[in-house]
Amino acid sequence: QEELELVKNYMLGRMASSRETPSQIAEQVRSCIIQNIPFSDLDAQFDLITDTNTERVQQLAEQYLHPDELLEVVAGKMEDA
């Protein structure tokens, strides 16, 4: 739970800092227009992050992460175990 709160605070801080200047806000508006995303989705992201809990993270992990379908990538020399 503590690690999740740390990540949520980091993400919320990054989102807030990306809306500090008129230029940054204009860029987000431009991206919404180009990608056909409703402006309300910008604020909805804050709610999604704030409302996320460990149960939801576990649910998403079970839905999208399938260990039998993952590939293991080794960088550097692979040694026999």
Side-chain angles (χ1 to χ4, degrees):
Q1 182 68 27
E2 185 178 322
E3 186 176 356
L4 178 59
E5 290 303 317
L6 182 68
V7 171
K8 286 168 52 173
N9 288 335
Y10 171 78
M11 292 177 71
L12 291 170
R14 294 280 297 171
M15 288 178 70
S17 68
S18 71
R19 299 178 184 184
E20 290 181 339
T21 68
S23 177
Q24 289 172 319
I25 294 169
E27 178 57 32
Q28 289 195 344
V29 169
R30 184 184 76 80
S31 292
C32 284
I33 292 169
I34 290 172
Q35 298 175 24
N36 199 28
I37 298 171
F39 297 126
S40 60
D41 283 8
L42 292 174
D43 289 329
Q45 292 174 354
F46 281 99
D47 294 334
L48 286 172
I49 293 170
T50 302
D51 295 341
T52 298
N53 56 36
T54 53
E55 292 79 18
R56 181 66 176 143
V57 172
Q58 183 64 39
Q59 178 188 21
L60 291 170
E62 290 171 2
Q63 182 178 351
Y64 292 106
L65 300 177
H66 306 285
D68 54 319
E69 297 176 9
L70 296 177
L71 297 175
E72 184 174 345
V73 177
V74 178
K77 196 180 235 184
M78 188 168 136
E79 307 211 7
D80 295 334

